[in-house]
Amino acid sequence: MKVHLRVFVETENLGKAMNAMTEAGITGFYILEYKGMSPQDWKGFVIKEEPESAIGLIRDYATDAVLICSVVEEEKAEEIEKLISETLKKDKFTILEVPIRKIIVNYGNEEEVEEEVDVWLLEKEVPCFYCGENAVQRIRVDVNKAKIWCTNCGAARYYLIKGVERPER
Amino acid sequence: MEIKPWKLNKAARCAHCKDATIHSIIIDRYKMKIKCRDCGFTRFYNFHVVNIPKRR
């Protein structure tokens, strides 16, 4: 089963935590910067209810921290847990592991992108439409346009897509 | 001077049937046609402009 691994560390320990996670073999991650207070620090605080007061308190007392998130296999999460515990044994950190029931990934316009980069390059020795000489003609065909140029006279002819004809099913 | 249309073939992945197929390409002075021999998907191009290099 895959788990959503959330590692909370203080900003100065981000490098150490990231190295430990990379060593364990994570393939992707995302990071969120935040300001937070641990339960020990928060205990006994009573804040005034004005928004300025609450924001001021967070600004003055909360710690700059980072949340590193990644989706990993359960076994790998255990490995990461051990490595982080070892690397950050003298520092503050929190690890959460949340089980994942389902993952849906949509790559959006992947096909369109593939089509855009599909460029053909061809060569043929034929009479040029401009100079009439039998010379190598270079042809570049893109999805929406094409260019042919003569290696003898250098004339470049440009063509634009007019339409497509799809076969009947 | 009359120049016959050029005829070429190109093995490539068809944008329609997604298979690696042979495409027939016919280019003449004002038109270009590319057809997948497998599924028949065809693209038509029209001549747009010509760029002539300056003589030195």
Side-chain angles (χ1 to χ4, degrees):
Chain A
M1 189 181 60
K2 284 187 187 288
V3 294
H4 190 206
L5 186 73
R6 298 169 189 177
V7 182
F8 299 77
V9 292
E10 287 174 349
T11 307
E12 69 232 42
N13 296 323
L14 173 65
K16 282 190 208 170
M18 283 304 308
N19 285 342
M21 290 174 83
T22 311
E23 205 182 314
I26 56 160
T27 51
F29 63 91
Y30 64 93
I31 286 174
L32 298 169
E33 279 184 86
Y34 70 96
K35 275 184 178 286
M37 288 179 84
S38 62
Q40 297 89 329
D41 296 336
W42 180 245
K43 206 176 170 185
F45 263 101
V46 178
I47 57 166
K48 289 181 192 168
E49 288 181 10
E50 300 95 62
E52 292 81 19
S53 168
I55 290 169
L57 181 129
I58 291 166
R59 215 173 272 145
D60 296 340
Y61 294 101
T63 314
D64 288 326
V66 187
L67 167 60
I68 312 162
C69 299
S70 187
V71 174
V72 292
E73 289 294 340
E74 215 174 348
E75 304 79 51
K76 197 168 268 180
E78 281 171 25
E79 205 182 317
I80 292 171
E81 208 182 297
K82 272 186 208 159
L83 277 166
I84 288 182
S85 308
E86 230 170 75
T87 320
L88 300 176
K89 62 183 169 204
K90 288 183 183 165
D91 302 298
K92 231 171 159 184
F93 68 86
T94 304
I95 299 176
L96 293 186
E97 287 173 26
V98 184
I100 294 174
R101 284 176 54 211
K102 201 187 221 178
I103 299 177
I104 298 164
V105 182
N106 177 34
Y107 291 101
N109 59 351
E110 194 187 36
E111 281 189 10
E112 282 171 35
V113 172
E114 259 180 42
E115 208 172 20
E116 275 171 23
V117 297
D118 202 7
V119 176
W120 301 351
L121 294 167
L122 302 105
E123 271 190 4
K124 190 167 171 85
E125 196 174 332
V126 278
C128 169
F129 290 125
Y130 183 70
C131 68
E133 292 293 322
N134 204 37
V136 172
Q137 308 292 319
R138 298 216 166 98
I139 303 153
R140 182 195 156 106
V141 182
D142 283 71
V143 175
N144 297 321
K145 59 186 190 288
K147 177 187 176 186
I148 60 175
W149 66 103
C150 175
T151 53
N152 179 52
C153 69
R157 298 171 68 82
Y158 296 85
Y159 293 72
L160 293 177
I161 189 106
K162 183 188 163 201
V164 297
E165 194 178 284
R166 290 173 200 278
E168 284 174 24
R169 300 204 170 208
Chain B
M1 183 179 51
E2 184 64 31
I3 292 172
K4 285 184 185 168
W6 308 343
K7 289 182 180 170
L8 299 93
N9 292 320
K10 169 82 181 165
R13 182 175 166 271
C14 174
H16 185 258
C17 67
K18 312 286 180 202
D19 284 340
T21 60
I22 305 289
H23 293 75
S24 305
I25 305 172
I26 300 172
I27 304 170
D28 87 2
R29 199 177 279 256
Y30 300 110
K31 284 176 184 169
M32 183 183 286
K33 181 178 154 184
I34 300 173
K35 185 175 184 177
C36 169
R37 281 202 206 156
D38 218 43
C39 72
F41 177 69
T42 312
R43 277 206 200 103
F44 299 94
Y45 298 78
N46 273 357
F47 172 72
H48 175 55
V49 69
V50 63
N51 183 19
I52 316 286
K54 284 179 187 167
R55 283 173 195 265
R56 288 178 186 176

